[in-house]
Amino acid sequence: MNAPPRLFTLPEPVAPHWRHAWGGVWRLTLHRHFLPGRWLMVLIGLAVLALLGFAPGRGGLSRHFTEWTVAFYATFLVPALAFISAAGAMRDEMKSSTVDYVFTRPVRRPAFVAFRFLAHTVCAQLDFLLALGVVLVVGAARGVPGVLAIMPALLLGQVLLVTAFSALGFLAGVLTSRYIILGFGYAGVIEVGIGQIPTQLSRLSMTQQVRTLVDTLLLRSEAHSPGLLAVTGTLVLFTLVVLALAALLFHHREQGAASET
Amino acid sequence: MSAIVQAENLSRFYGMILGLNNVSFAIRPGITGIVGPNGAGKTTLFRLLLGQIRPSSGRLTVFGEEPWNNPSVHARLAYCPEGEAVPAGLRPLEWLVGLGMLSGLSAPEAEARARAALTRVKLAPEHWRKRVTAYSKGMKQRVKLAQCLLHGPKLVILDEPMNGLDPVGREDIAQILRELALDGTSVLISSHILHDLEALCADFLLLRWGRVPRSLNDAASPEARARWPEATTFRCDAPDRLARFLFDRGLVRGCDIAADEGMLHVRWRDPAQFYADGNFTALLLESGVHIFEVQATASFLEKAADPTAASSS
């Protein structure tokens, strides 16, 4: 009996290439970011944010609105959502749908964490840019004077906080599936606890750093407030240290062992 | 021929749970079947080979290198897992291009290879626009196999790739695996569909309770498999008449008849008496019974996969 005709010849082996690997992680992240179901959730979130934006200072005072955007939106909502979103993304990468296909390919795990963080953070920045747009529109609709003027400071603070808290989310996601509890612990001890102590220790709080920066940029704080570069440097350093820790832990983590029998 | 996989006193435990227990074996190039009942340690072995988990003790090498966290080994491997979990929301081309790029391909090359691989696994282009999560089990198996073909691996590891496929689909997959072997790619495959494995594999590694039982693996050696089967099952229109015919000729030591299913299970006095010289077809014709199927009963693989059989090493 004749052998059936060959339909396929295996292509040539390919050598690992870090730039292409980054492209692969970026594409896989981007495709998932633009899923219709996900965007529905984002739109609902933006609508809720708009509703919340109309709540504070019904008298239309600009001070109330600015306080709300700094205290609630920029230093609570943005870090909390950035943390949850990043931790969830990292947990997704530990499911078999990723483990069995991605981590069987020649990408070093620390490099994967860095690529995934970059891709996730870019996507998250886009989401939060929309949210900031909603804040701007709400402020304008309420007739808050000077709402446009506070936007550059808020944008800078938002970019820094999304980056830093995404890194923290990645670390929490690598550590545990109960990352929300870890987040509460961190928020309680560092952000709410130490961050409120009126000493140099409060600089450990990233939201406090950004709040001081935004206040400085809005010309509302004391003369001794840390400068733009100092705050930016601190948040970048925080991001790098936390991300390096996440990458190190992930490198040594066994994958797929939980599903064993 | 040098081994592509070499294990020496390899063990893997999950706390108190045993995965693999002090096993030593070598896997040669070609298509090798990994056989054993559930819990035998097949998936543990695959995860060790893929470098996803570390050995608790002993040594494992793939292409002469330890696979744990080793991109040099990963570059030469491909894995088709048993689970159906696939990333949510992705279409097959999007997914395969991303994975191809992770393996080192440029975007255009990854797309070209993804298209070729999807075509080869016979996933019709009209399904390429659907999301993989919406696929049937059989279609998912095809995409999962396609992602193994992107980067020219030297070893493809497949965990139950035939699950959910109809006989035509299983033959398609078997044909692809044979072509891979012709290209010099080795294949490790586990499957509960044992007759498919027997037809496909040149070699076998039999696992039971985390061990590699020597007696079973000896029975699965190419030399042992060249021997005639000790028992045979016939599906025919008159199993009792066929049994009497074979008994009259002194060929049979014992038999079981399932008349309502038209089945006759025969244990040979001396298998060579029946099979040797190739005249058994004439003998069966002489019986006058219409025979629809002849199959070796309880092959070495079935024995190996039977969890109730006593373990031996």
Side-chain angles (χ1 to χ4, degrees):
Chain A
M1 195 169 66
N2 291 331
R6 295 197 61 180
L7 300 173
F8 184 79
T9 303
L10 197 67
E12 284 297 306
V14 55
H17 191 294
W18 71 265
R19 198 157 45 82
H20 294 163
W22 151 247
V25 173
W26 170 245
R27 276 170 178 251
L28 291 174
T29 305
L30 205 63
H31 286 308
R32 280 181 279 181
H33 188 76
F34 285 105
L35 288 178
R38 194 191 160 280
W39 274 101
L40 186 66
M41 296 301 294
V42 170
L43 288 175
I44 291 171
L46 293 176
V48 171
L49 178 66
L51 284 176
L52 290 173
F54 279 105
R58 290 195 181 280
L61 293 173
S62 89
R63 192 172 59 82
H64 282 137
F65 185 78
T66 310
E67 272 304 310
W68 177 82
T69 49
V70 174
F72 176 74
Y73 172 75
T75 55
F76 168 71
L77 201 61
V78 168
L81 291 179
F83 174 86
I84 291 168
S85 155
M90 202 58 217
R91 291 311 300 182
D92 279 349
E93 302 302 345
M94 294 183 197
K95 291 179 181 167
S96 56
S97 57
T98 297
V99 166
D100 289 338
Y101 301 103
V102 171
F103 302 131
T104 52
R105 293 181 188 272
V107 183
R108 289 196 179 277
R109 292 193 198 164
F112 176 81
V113 171
F115 293 163
R116 187 69 178 87
F117 171 75
L118 272 178
H120 174 84
T121 306
V122 169
C123 292
Q125 297 287 6
L126 291 174
D127 288 348
F128 284 108
L129 205 58
L130 286 178
L132 195 60
V134 168
V135 171
L136 174 66
V137 169
V138 170
R142 290 185 57 186
V144 176
V147 67
L148 200 59
I150 65 170
M151 284 298 137
L154 275 179
L155 179 61
L156 177 65
Q158 175 170 295
V159 167
L160 290 172
L161 280 174
V162 168
T163 309
F165 278 84
S166 292
L168 193 64
F170 265 58
L171 176 61
V174 169
L175 284 171
T176 174
S177 59
R178 296 181 175 88
Y179 53 83
I180 297 278
I181 296 172
L182 211 62
F184 273 123
Y186 170 84
V189 174
I190 305 291
E191 299 299 338
V192 178
I194 293 173
Q196 303 303 318
I197 301 171
T199 63
Q200 292 292 320
L201 266 180
S202 67
R203 291 192 176 190
L204 287 171
S205 160
M206 295 302 116
T207 55
Q208 196 60 33
Q209 293 261 1
V210 169
R211 189 177 181 138
T212 312
L213 174 72
V214 171
D215 281 347
T216 308
L217 292 172
L218 296 177
L219 301 173
R220 299 189 324 180
S221 69
E222 306 106 43
H224 298 298
S225 296
L228 174 65
L229 276 179
V231 172
T232 307
T234 305
L235 266 90
V236 169
L237 183 67
F238 174 85
T239 302
L240 291 177
V241 168
V242 168
L243 196 63
L245 200 54
L248 184 70
L249 290 171
F250 196 65
H251 179 67
H252 290 288
R253 186 189 168 91
E254 292 190 328
Q255 305 289 346
S259 63
E260 288 296 330
T261 55
Chain B
M1 208 183 306
S2 64
I4 50 168
V5 174
Q6 187 90 43
E8 290 164 23
N9 306 114
L10 178 68
S11 295
R12 169 68 204 202
F13 298 93
Y14 305 97
M16 296 292 287
I17 299 168
L18 177 137
L20 281 176
N21 186 10
N22 196 27
V23 297
S24 298
F25 58 85
I27 295 174
R28 290 170 291 188
I31 305 180
T32 302
I34 309 290
V35 182
N38 290 334
K42 302 189 293 286
T43 305
T44 296
L45 174 60
F46 286 163
R47 295 220 179 279
L48 284 163
L49 291 170
L50 293 163
Q52 291 183 332
I53 55 175
R54 279 172 285 203
S56 301
S57 64
R59 186 174 149 82
L60 175 72
T61 56
V62 180
F63 302 118
E65 296 180 56
E66 292 185 3
W68 166 250
N69 260 342
N70 188 344
S72 151
V73 172
H74 291 157
R76 287 176 276 177
L77 289 182
Y79 179 49
C80 176
E82 180 183 9
E84 281 188 62
V86 288
L90 293 177
R91 295 180 177 87
L93 264 182
E94 294 167 349
W95 188 35
L96 264 58
V97 169
L99 293 178
M101 291 180 76
L102 278 166
S103 288
L105 294 164
S106 65
E109 179 73 357
E111 180 157 351
R113 289 192 183 199
R115 285 178 185 279
L118 288 172
T119 305
R120 177 59 193 99
V121 299
K122 295 188 178 171
L123 188 75
E126 61 262 31
H127 298 305
W128 294 7
R129 295 193 63 77
K130 294 179 191 165
R131 300 186 194 284
V132 182
T133 37
Y135 279 5
S136 68
K137 196 170 182 177
M139 286 160 77
K140 274 186 194 161
Q141 292 287 38
R142 289 172 191 270
V143 181
K144 280 160 55 185
L145 180 61
Q147 59 87 26
C148 293
L149 307 177
L150 297 170
H151 55 291
K154 300 310 287 177
L155 172 63
V156 179
I157 298 172
L158 305 112
D159 200 351
E160 301 288 348
M162 311 290 196
N163 279 1
L165 291 169
D166 56 24
V168 175
R170 295 210 304 272
E171 182 48 38
D172 285 345
I173 302 278
Q175 178 60 20
I176 292 169
L177 300 184
R178 287 188 202 103
E179 288 178 3
L180 286 175
L182 282 176
D183 283 330
T185 296
S186 296
V187 176
L188 285 186
I189 175 172
S190 80
S191 174
H192 284 112
I193 305 170
L194 299 178
H195 52 89
D196 281 353
L197 276 193
E198 283 187 82
L200 186 65
C201 298
D203 224 337
F204 295 91
L205 179 68
L206 275 53
L207 293 168
R208 174 166 295 164
W209 309 128
R211 313 271 310 196
V212 179
R214 195 183 305 158
S215 59
L216 284 177
N217 280 277
D218 286 347
S221 67
E223 300 77 37
R225 279 185 282 128
R227 293 197 286 265
W228 302 117
E230 290 176 10
T232 305
T233 298
F234 298 93
R235 193 161 64 80
C236 57
D237 63 348
D240 48 347
R241 194 144 56 90
L242 181 62
R244 201 174 310 118
F245 176 81
L246 295 171
F247 263 114
D248 288 347
R249 274 147 191 81
L251 296 168
V252 173
R253 182 160 51 89
C255 74
D256 301 303
I257 298 173
D260 49 342
E261 297 167 31
M263 302 291 265
L264 169 66
H265 305 284
V266 167
R267 292 178 292 285
W268 302 112
R269 200 179 289 278
D270 176 8
Q273 244 185 313
F274 176 71
Y275 283 106
D277 306 329
N279 60 358
F280 64 91
T281 45
L283 193 68
L284 293 174
L285 281 171
E286 190 189 323
S287 73
V289 175
H290 289 116
I291 293 171
F292 310 119
E293 189 178 350
V294 179
Q295 194 179 29
T297 310
S299 69
F300 68 95
L301 286 184
E302 284 165 330
K303 285 178 194 163
D306 177 8
T308 58
S311 112
S312 53
S313 55

